[in-house]
Amino acid sequence: MMATAPIEAGEVIVSVPKMFLISNESLAKQYGNHSLHIHPLLALHLCRLKHDPKSWWKPYIDLLPRQFGTMPVKYPPKLMRHLPTSLYEEVQRQVKKIKSDYATCARFLKNLTGESLDYEEYEWAWLCVNTRCIHMTTMNAAPRGGNIALAPLLDFLNHTCDAKIESGFNVRTQCFEIRTLTPYDKGDQVFINYGPHDNLAILREYGFVIPDNTYNFVSLDEEVWAFFDALESPISRAAKRSILENAGYAGDYSIKKHDISYRLLCALRLLALESTSFERRVLEWHDVVMGEAETISADNERRVLIMLQSMCTQVVQHAREKTSALETLNGDAELHPFALLFVSQIWKETLEIAQQTLLDIDEKLLEIQ
């Protein structure tokens, strides 16, 4: 969507009247009292609208995507298995959610009209809702599963991390409005911001990735727990894991470019504690966690960095293997070319982050020495 005239910061760039919103409130008039969550209900409604050529909503339905080949839930196994583990697990949960929602809606429609519901069509509708719904944050209605709605026109606004906006339902104007906090010149493309999402989340929920995403990170949960398994006895491992859980530092370990998460450092500092005088060392670890000390000791920090160095080296090797494996799939007619491109970009970004972290670790080790 392009600016036809200069747009000042603070201007409303989109205003969709209530009558053009497919919301819980509008659907309640058609479906009455029901037990469906709003997301599956919207998907079911799209399926029914698609089969009604005389529907007032036909122009909107005709503008919706015909397929979602870049969405991970639609990847064939040969590409799905190359997703990062965390993304693969989230996609599997999403697949189960779609199937569960389909079963619920199929029963609901059968009882309501006697009609059957096609799974492929419902999956298409579910993904339309997932990629295009808006959040009605200020309306009174609070349906099961969140207060979301569908609206025409908003689909044409693309995402960028740099865009600053305010959005919501304006009770005074009875419109869903998007106000830009970023000025635009005539001819500029106008953007919105889906939120502070890394490319794994954007790919999972919207089916694309963006270059130079400042929110990108690499999860090291698997690597950290593997180190605990390799370096600790079962009793010691259980004790240290319990310490992390009680302190609220179990899991969610990540690295970004020039940024090692504090949670990761806390876990590795605990793992690097010497076995002698362990109880006293744990107290020193708690002092660092509480901000009363910066480090436990120079030796502890050195061990932390060496372990992290080993983890990042593993990530680099794994990312290179995945990148090479994906190159062998180029030209595969079964794969959407952009889907392959996006997964390849995910692994290249992983490689870049891990490589940069290795360089940062080298510098830190020199400082300690």
Side-chain angles (χ1 to χ4, degrees):
M1 190 174 288
M2 313 298 290
T4 58
I7 300 175
E8 299 294 330
E11 283 192 48
V12 173
I13 55 174
V14 174
S15 181
V16 183
K18 184 178 179 179
M19 66 175 292
F20 296 118
L21 301 176
I22 306 177
S23 65
N24 179 67
E25 185 177 349
S26 64
L27 294 182
K29 300 173 183 177
Q30 298 185 46
Y31 296 98
N33 188 23
H34 60 82
S35 59
L36 295 179
H37 286 198
I38 184 61
H39 188 148
L41 178 60
L42 284 169
L44 174 61
H45 190 63
L46 282 186
C47 290
R48 301 189 72 196
L49 289 177
K50 191 176 182 182
H51 288 281
D52 183 2
K54 297 181 180 180
S55 169
W56 184 84
W57 290 96
K58 186 178 186 304
Y60 172 65
I61 300 300
D62 290 344
L63 285 173
L64 294 173
R66 294 175 183 241
Q67 52 82 27
F68 287 93
T70 64
M71 296 288 292
V73 292
K74 297 292 290 180
Y75 291 174
K78 67 177 73 175
L79 184 56
M80 183 82 77
R81 65 170 174 261
H82 290 299
L83 294 176
T85 301
S86 60
L87 178 57
Y88 176 84
E89 292 172 349
E90 290 169 348
V91 171
Q92 294 308 306
R93 286 191 287 270
Q94 197 174 53
V95 170
K96 290 181 180 179
K97 182 70 170 66
I98 296 172
K99 291 180 178 179
S100 174
D101 286 351
Y102 165 75
T104 300
C105 286
R107 289 192 299 270
F108 176 80
L109 184 62
K110 194 74 173 178
N111 293 332
L112 183 69
T113 66
E115 301 170 11
S116 60
L117 185 63
D118 179 75
Y119 177 78
E120 290 295 326
E121 191 169 79
Y122 181 81
E123 181 187 55
W124 163 83
W126 196 98
L127 291 173
C128 282
V129 175
N130 198 65
T131 56
R132 282 159 170 73
C133 68
I134 57 175
H135 293 269
M136 307 292 285
T137 53
T138 60
M139 292 189 70
N140 293 329
R144 298 177 183 88
N147 206 343
I148 61 174
L150 290 174
L153 184 68
L154 301 183
D155 311 43
F156 295 101
L157 286 161
N158 289 326
H159 163 81
T160 177
C161 295
D162 298 325
K164 295 180 176 60
I165 64 167
E166 292 178 347
S167 64
F169 186 79
N170 188 326
V171 178
R172 182 180 59 81
T173 63
Q174 289 294 289
C175 297
F176 182 87
E177 297 177 347
I178 297 179
R179 188 182 304 275
T180 179
L181 305 181
T182 306
Y184 294 95
D185 293 327
K186 180 180 179 180
D188 286 348
Q189 182 175 357
V190 180
F191 292 94
I192 56 175
N193 192 325
Y194 296 169
H197 304 306
D198 68 293
N199 275 347
L200 292 180
I202 291 177
L203 182 60
R204 181 188 71 240
E205 298 299 329
Y206 303 107
F208 66 92
V209 296
I210 59 175
D212 303 318
N213 189 337
T214 58
Y215 298 107
N216 283 342
F217 68 92
V218 175
S219 173
L220 293 181
D221 283 39
E222 278 190 279
E223 289 76 9
V224 170
W225 296 128
F227 259 70
F228 269 86
D229 290 341
L231 300 178
E232 301 287 347
S233 67
I235 295 177
S236 177
R237 180 169 64 245
K240 288 188 175 181
R241 184 150 190 164
S242 176
I243 291 171
L244 287 170
E245 289 173 350
N246 291 334
Y249 282 89
D252 194 17
Y253 307 130
S254 63
I255 53 174
K256 298 174 67 174
K257 281 189 177 180
H258 303 298
D259 183 19
I260 302 168
S261 75
Y262 187 68
R263 297 180 64 86
L264 173 58
L265 290 174
C266 287
L268 294 183
R269 283 167 178 155
L270 182 64
L271 180 58
L273 286 182
E274 299 174 4
S275 57
T276 56
S277 304
F278 180 69
E279 292 184 0
R280 179 171 61 84
R281 293 295 185 186
V282 169
L283 291 177
E284 293 174 347
W285 178 84
H286 276 289
D287 287 342
V288 173
V289 170
M290 299 301 293
E292 297 177 6
E294 290 188 10
T295 62
I296 295 170
S297 67
D299 185 58
N300 183 268
E301 286 299 294
R302 187 180 298 107
R303 293 183 185 184
V304 165
L305 293 173
I306 290 173
M307 285 189 289
L308 184 55
Q309 190 177 53
S310 177
M311 293 178 193
C312 289
T313 300
Q314 292 174 21
V315 171
V316 166
Q317 181 180 351
H318 187 52
R320 284 174 174 162
E321 291 171 353
K322 285 296 184 182
T323 301
S324 297
L326 289 167
E327 288 175 355
T328 66
L329 298 177
N330 284 327
D332 192 317
E334 187 182 358
L335 303 179
H336 193 294
F338 283 136
L340 183 58
L341 177 67
F342 295 156
V343 177
S344 296
Q345 182 173 330
I346 291 291
W347 283 111
K348 288 175 182 177
E349 292 166 347
T350 298
L351 179 61
E352 291 172 2
I353 291 173
Q355 287 177 326
Q356 183 59 60
T357 303
L358 284 172
L359 293 175
D360 295 341
I361 290 172
D362 287 340
E363 292 184 8
K364 292 179 184 296
L365 284 171
L366 288 175
E367 292 173 4
I368 293 176
Q369 292 176 357

